[in-house]
Amino acid sequence: DEPGFTSTGNWWPASTATAYNGNYRLTGTTSNQNATATWRPSIKTPGCYDVFIWYPVAANRSAAAPFTIQHRGGTTTVHVDQNADGGQWLRIASGVPFDAGTAGCVTLGNGTGETGKSLVADAVKFDYVSPLDLTPPQVYSVSTSPAIVAAGDSITVTVDVEDNVAVESVTVNDAISLQKSTGDIWTGSIPANLALGPHTVTVVARDAFGNLSETAQAGYLTAAVVGVTNR
């Protein structure tokens, strides 16, 4: 609850019956963020939590209050219209993974881009839902096609990967994201290395809880091609 959050910039105390415990903090919106409020719980039990916020409604509130949740898998930002749904617990995220300790938090910033609006920081609640998934995805195979290509041609990368819950992303060479095809298959195209000779593609899969698979690799050969195009 306010004022249990830590803050930067200027926040003014205010009170109303629809605020959590009657009190809250207020600041103005701006294009360049200069005020933040951060709720940082001490999580005793690692797991998946629903995240709720509470704020009072009044005239001229921000329609895009950005609540950024820092969790085990990264960060998630949810924009909330503070002109509605006030005076109650409003769920802004479900099943968010948090480790034990104080690494996770929720931060509200005033850089909404709105002019002349007010922004409210009141209370945040974390509700335990289920245990934390600590099992990383497993990559069973990686293949490239064709195995021999001309410099700059496209190579299709196909990955067979599985997770106990769900795979969220598969990335090649830390840069190119593959797309889910059918079943446990992810696929996509990458440009062949321009240098002649053998090359390696490296694949990493990630689940929604931030667990990373062990890296898996496949190879291909960039070769000179002589034909009707004289490549």
Side-chain angles (χ1 to χ4, degrees):
D1 185 20
E2 104 17 77
F5 56 73
T6 58
S7 62
T8 64
N10 295 318
W11 293 86
W12 294 273
S15 61
T16 181
T18 57
Y20 191 77
N21 286 332
N23 301 301
Y24 63 100
R25 292 289 186 268
L26 195 67
T27 192
T29 58
T30 180
S31 296
N32 299 313
Q33 181 169 287
N34 56 21
T36 63
T38 299
W39 295 261
R40 188 177 299 277
S42 178
I43 298 291
K44 304 301 181 184
T45 303
C48 299
Y49 288 76
D50 287 352
V51 179
F52 296 80
I53 60 172
W54 186 299
Y55 55 89
V57 169
N60 208 37
R61 295 287 195 238
S62 168
F67 288 84
T68 298
I69 306 168
Q70 184 172 326
H71 51 83
R72 190 173 191 272
T75 59
T76 302
T77 299
V78 181
H79 293 87
V80 176
D81 183 357
Q82 292 192 327
N83 295 289
D85 300 318
Q88 62 183 321
W89 286 118
L90 175 66
R91 181 165 53 191
I92 60 171
S94 301
V96 181
F98 288 97
D99 288 316
T102 58
C105 64
V106 173
T107 298
L108 172 63
N110 69 335
T112 68
E114 299 164 302
T115 301
K117 300 292 185 178
S118 60
L119 192 74
V120 173
D122 194 353
V124 173
K125 180 173 70 168
F126 301 80
D127 263 1
Y128 179 85
V129 176
S130 61
L132 188 64
D133 174 23
L134 299 176
T135 304
Q138 183 175 356
V139 176
Y140 291 108
S141 66
V142 181
S143 63
T144 56
S145 178
I148 302 177
V149 295
D153 278 3
S154 293
I155 300 169
T156 298
V157 179
T158 302
V159 180
D160 184 356
V161 57
E162 190 177 60
D163 186 65
N164 63 319
V165 178
V167 177
E168 185 174 76
S169 64
V170 180
T171 306
V172 179
N173 296 340
D174 294 326
I176 300 176
S177 297
L178 302 184
Q179 301 300 314
K180 186 174 176 62
S181 179
T182 57
D184 297 323
I185 304 300
W186 292 65
T187 186
S189 297
I190 64 172
N193 196 303
L194 299 180
L196 301 183
H199 303 284
T200 301
V201 295
T202 300
V203 170
V204 174
R206 176 177 179 170
D207 65 17
F209 297 90
N211 299 306
L212 298 177
S213 69
E214 294 186 2
T215 58
Q217 296 180 330
Y220 67 92
L221 180 70
T222 300
V225 178
V226 178
V228 292
T229 61
N230 202 32
R231 288 188 302 172

